[in-house]
């Protein structure tokens, strides 16, 4: 992850989606946040992030999802 400047976070007892939701809320006004996932449950975060769906090779934004 050092080459790509990606950060890994592990908090015992916490689920990944809850951690990601917390981070996106905290940093939404500072960074453009991209989450790489095929899990459509993350679409609930589209107000604050862009999702890259590697299975379909597409970027999903709130605008694209709503249209």
């Amino acid at each position: 992850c050092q080459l790509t400047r990606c950060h890994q976070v592990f908090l015992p007892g916490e689920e990944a989606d809850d951690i990601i939701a917390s981070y996106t809320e905290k940093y939404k006004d500072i960074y453009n946040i991209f989450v790489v996932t095929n899990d459509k449950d993350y679409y609930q975060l589209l107000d604050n992030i862009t999702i890259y769906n590697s299975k379909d090779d597409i970027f999903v934004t709130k605008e694209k999802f709503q249209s």
Side-chain angles (χ1 to χ4, degrees), residues 2-3 5 7-9 12 19 23 32 47-48 52 56 60:
Q2 289 179 342
L3 293 176
R5 295 179 22 170
H7 299 280
Q8 291 181 320
V9 177
I19 295 169
Y23 270 81
N32 292 322
D47 284 337
N48 303 327
Y52 175 66
D56 298 329
V60 181

Side-chain angles (χ1 to χ4, degrees), residues 2-50:
Q2 289 179 342
L3 293 176
T4 60
R5 295 179 22 170
C6 293
H7 299 280
Q8 291 181 320
V9 177
F10 175 76
L11 297 173
E14 298 294 328
E15 294 189 20
D17 57 344
D18 294 331
I19 295 169
I20 291 170
S22 295
Y23 270 81
T24 59
E25 183 61 33
K26 182 175 181 175
Y27 294 109
K28 67 182 179 184
D29 296 326
I30 301 170
Y31 299 106
N32 292 322
I33 301 170
F34 293 84
V35 175
V36 179
T37 183
N38 299 326
D39 187 344
K40 291 188 176 19
D41 288 343
Y42 285 88
Y43 283 22
Q44 64 186 322
L45 301 176
L46 283 174
D47 284 337
N48 303 327
I49 67 171
T50 297

Side-chain angles (χ1 to χ4, degrees), residues 59-67:
F59 286 93
V60 181
T61 62
K62 181 179 180 180
E63 294 77 19
K64 285 184 182 178
F65 181 67
Q66 289 179 336
S67 59

